[in-house]
Amino acid sequence: MDARLAVLQGIRSISQLYDSLRKEVCRKHGLTAAEADILSFLSHNPQFNTAGDICRLRRMQKGNVSRAIDDLCRRGLLCSRPDPVDGRRNYLYMTEQADPVLPDISELNERFFRALTDGFTREELELYHDMSLRLSENAARALERK
């Protein structure tokens, strides 16, 4: 198999695995995929708590993020507070109503990581991590040049 095809198939398989695991959490809690992704992101990265942070770091589309945040706020899972200095910026915080979802999101991420890394040694995981960062940096640079 051509190396390029193998990489593309690998990326697609990884994405399909994550999507299938995320569906369980979404179904259980009545969330969309974008809503689950936002809650997961905020639970693991509380310092990046604006819609712009989510769009930039998760590479999600602005409209999808905005709609999901509005729905999460309306359902009481998130609250939004304006920046006291720059009123155009709003900070996002999970509420106590999101607490029942968080263990399931953590379990989803743990199951996903365990499935992906099954049989890898610590050294192989470190090498993969380094290579993955380089691939991501290359992709980000290529996107910037577009």
Side-chain angles (χ1 to χ4, degrees), residues 17 20-22 24-25 104-118:
L17 172 62
S20 71
L21 293 171
R22 182 182 52 203
E24 297 172 25
V25 172
D104 292 332
I105 287 174
S106 290
E107 181 186 339
L108 149 72
N109 288 318
E110 183 61 31
R111 286 176 58 200
F112 177 66
F113 187 73
R114 271 196 324 266
L116 287 182
T117 60
D118 184 43

Side-chain angles (χ1 to χ4, degrees), residues 11 55-59 131-146:
I11 291 169
C55 292
R56 180 172 45 85
L57 296 169
R58 285 284 288 131
R59 300 214 181 269
M131 292 173 67
S132 179
L133 286 176
R134 288 175 52 196
L135 287 170
S136 295
E137 290 166 359
N138 288 345
R141 275 195 304 277
L143 284 170
E144 288 172 5
R145 289 190 299 259
K146 259 180 94 174

Side-chain angles (χ1 to χ4, degrees), residues 48-132:
F48 298 114
N49 63 340
T50 67
D53 291 336
I54 295 167
C55 292
R56 180 172 45 85
L57 296 169
R58 285 284 288 131
R59 300 214 181 269
M60 294 174 70
Q61 292 182 338
K62 192 179 206 177
N64 292 343
V65 170
S66 179
R67 190 173 23 255
I69 288 171
D70 287 346
D71 289 343
L72 288 166
C73 288
R74 195 172 13 266
R75 292 177 54 195
L77 299 171
L78 284 184
C79 67
S80 174
R81 295 190 187 116
D83 184 318
V85 176
D86 181 356
R88 296 170 298 173
R89 180 190 311 249
N90 289 304
Y91 295 105
L92 303 168
Y93 302 94
M94 286 187 282
T95 67
E96 288 181 4
Q97 289 178 287
D99 288 352
V101 181
L102 301 181
D104 292 332
I105 287 174
S106 290
E107 181 186 339
L108 149 72
N109 288 318
E110 183 61 31
R111 286 176 58 200
F112 177 66
F113 187 73
R114 271 196 324 266
L116 287 182
T117 60
D118 184 43
F120 280 78
T121 65
R122 179 181 305 274
E123 293 79 20
E124 288 170 327
L125 287 174
E126 289 172 5
L127 178 61
Y128 171 76
H129 178 71
D130 292 343
M131 292 173 67
S132 179

